[in-house]
Amino acid sequence: AAALVRAHPLFAAAVLPPALTSLRALAAGTLDPARAKAALASPRVRALFADPAFKRALLAGDPSALLADPRVKALLADPELAEKLKALAPR
């Protein structure tokens, strides 16, 4: 079942918190450049994207790996940053 969820973006988007959905769009290159620049303005977001394992888990849509990362937990626990990232989601 987990492989099915990871293989289908519809399921992955439903499982990932909205802030991570925005980060996934950033990693996939589907955010427009202005939104991407806004997301990367945060040093915490830039630090996450510097980690290849984070990017792989994000692009794979692996919520368990992402939510097990203490840096991701800290990012999601920051209501201001989480809201900013959520607002970046492609519409």
Side-chain angles (χ1 to χ4, degrees):
L4 177 67
V5 169
R6 279 192 292 265
H8 296 284
L10 174 64
F11 293 121
V15 174
L16 290 176
L20 289 181
T21 302
S22 294
L23 291 178
R24 186 174 187 194
L26 176 63
T30 59
L31 283 182
D32 68 71
R35 287 181 181 207
K37 185 176 178 180
L40 292 171
S42 166
R44 289 165 60 190
V45 172
R46 282 195 313 271
L48 279 172
F49 273 88
D51 179 0
F54 168 78
K55 285 182 74 174
R56 277 192 305 276
L58 187 62
L59 290 171
D62 186 351
S64 59
L66 292 168
L67 296 174
D69 187 326
R71 298 167 303 166
V72 173
K73 287 181 184 178
L75 183 143
L76 295 175
D78 180 337
E80 185 178 331
L81 184 54
E83 276 303 310
K84 284 180 182 178
L85 291 172
K86 182 179 171 184
L88 297 174
R91 292 178 174 85

